[in-house]
Amino acid sequence: MTDIISPEWLLHHLDDPDVIIIDCRFTLGQPEAGFKAYQQQHLPGAFHLDLEKDLSGPITDHGGRHPLPNPQKIAKTFENMGIDEQKHVIAYDDQQGAMAARLWWLLQYLGHSKVSILDGGWSKWIELGYPTTTIQPEAKPTTFTPHLHQELLAEMEEIRQKLHHPDTILVDSRDERRYRGEYEPMDPIAGHIPGARNYFWQEVLQKQGEWKKTSELEKHFQALPKDKEIIVYCGSGVTATPNFLALKQAGYKRVKLYAGSWSDWISYPDNPIAKGEENG
């Protein structure tokens, strides 16, 4: 299954009954904007899933700003959209793939590998002049049985145990200023997890917003040994998922997502915090 599919491919599969399209548009700080944009215009046949209402669980003392949803609850949501093991899910957004990658990772974690991201997302689709609609599709409910792949997920205790472990590399997916602790717009404490290296998630994309080719991604991550375990994180576990996908594209086999990410890490007062550069 190809993780990234072209707009041309999707254009020719809009009427395929085994393809289900999910609009994941969401704007941080403007929680209603994504669904409003979907109501105004979306890809033909697309359903909408909201980052905070659907693709995240309730916020508690720990778990970060976007905790993972309850597996049974999100499975029910998928069932109601007609997603089962036969369906190929195509996710898109207008946030450079971050929200779509969150859905991509969630489905992988739940054992559904037939999921791809639309290359270039909504912006590319519109640029190409491909069809859109305001009609919301009617779902044909089915059965979705989750089979959790725990090897894709890292929890806080595991991170704490593996700090500076020679076989594990932490990758911070936030921009350089947030990584270095110079600026923190989202969370109450600035900095990064000690030992983490910084690979800003948007660097896996071309300037036009499309995903870089495999050879480019291999070059981008060349300083990371492929025999090491790589654990990616960001602010809340969303924008780390493009890095997760890109590492997989580049041939890394042992990749995990710290789903709670920085916002979970700092919810434990005893966890150490680093600032400055550690990319050596």
Side-chain angles (χ1 to χ4, degrees), residues 49 54-55 69-79 106 110:
L49 284 177
D54 302 306
L55 304 181
N70 176 278
Q72 298 302 325
K73 183 177 180 182
I74 189 67
K76 191 66 179 176
T77 299
F78 292 149
E79 286 185 342
L106 268 176
L110 292 170

Side-chain angles (χ1 to χ4, degrees), residues 24-274:
C24 299
R25 284 178 286 175
F26 183 89
T27 303
L28 289 171
Q30 302 177 48
E32 304 303 322
F35 185 62
K36 286 180 179 178
Y38 168 79
Q39 289 177 308
Q40 292 168 1
Q41 202 178 23
H42 54 263
L43 268 65
F47 296 93
H48 184 266
L49 284 177
D50 183 276
L51 171 65
E52 295 184 344
K53 295 177 182 176
D54 302 306
L55 304 181
S56 302
I59 296 175
T60 59
D61 290 343
H62 304 295
R65 287 184 279 107
H66 294 111
L68 293 183
N70 176 278
Q72 298 302 325
K73 183 177 180 182
I74 189 67
K76 191 66 179 176
T77 299
F78 292 149
E79 286 185 342
N80 291 338
M81 289 184 164
I83 299 173
D84 58 28
E85 60 185 14
Q86 303 301 323
K87 300 297 190 295
H88 181 183
V89 178
I90 311 296
Y92 75 89
D93 62 31
D94 201 18
Q95 285 71 42
Q96 297 180 288
M99 309 303 160
R102 167 75 166 207
L103 175 59
W104 174 90
W105 185 89
L106 268 176
L107 282 165
Q108 298 275 346
Y109 174 62
L110 292 170
H112 187 88
S113 60
K114 289 185 176 181
V115 54
S116 306
I117 292 176
L118 177 64
D119 201 11
W122 173 257
S123 299
K124 188 65 178 179
W125 187 267
I126 293 299
E127 177 189 320
L128 292 168
Y130 288 169
T132 63
T133 185
T134 59
I135 300 171
Q136 297 186 29
E138 290 188 22
K140 297 178 180 178
T142 182
T143 299
F144 183 99
T145 304
H147 300 283
L148 299 186
H149 284 252
Q150 293 290 354
E151 74 277 6
L152 304 182
L153 177 66
E155 304 282 4
M156 190 282 295
E157 285 292 346
E158 179 182 357
I159 304 296
R160 188 148 56 184
Q161 292 169 9
K162 291 180 175 178
L163 286 182
H164 305 294
H165 192 286
D167 192 47
T168 298
I169 297 174
L170 290 173
V171 168
D172 187 311
S173 306
R174 298 170 300 166
D175 69 68
E176 291 181 1
R177 292 177 63 201
R178 291 182 71 192
Y179 165 76
R180 291 195 296 258
E182 298 170 358
Y183 167 76
E184 184 45 68
M186 304 296 292
D187 294 305
I189 300 173
H192 62 263
I193 300 175
R197 304 188 193 183
N198 185 217
Y199 284 82
F200 184 35
W201 70 274
Q202 290 184 17
E203 292 173 353
V204 304
L205 304 168
Q206 300 173 16
K207 290 183 179 179
Q208 299 81 9
E210 293 158 290
W211 292 76
K212 288 182 176 178
K213 306 303 179 189
T214 299
S215 59
E216 295 174 298
L217 294 173
E218 288 176 341
K219 184 177 180 180
H220 177 60
F221 292 118
Q222 63 185 353
L224 301 177
K226 288 192 174 180
D227 62 340
K228 304 291 186 183
E229 175 185 64
I230 312 292
I231 301 178
V232 297
Y233 76 90
C234 55
S236 68
V238 177
T239 57
T241 55
N243 263 346
F244 186 107
L245 190 156
L247 284 159
K248 181 187 173 190
Q249 293 281 99
Y252 291 80
K253 305 296 185 184
R254 301 170 61 201
V255 185
K256 292 183 176 182
L257 171 71
Y258 175 20
S261 284
W262 180 248
S263 53
D264 175 59
W265 182 258
I266 61 173
S267 70
Y268 297 88
D270 294 337
N271 281 346
I273 291 168

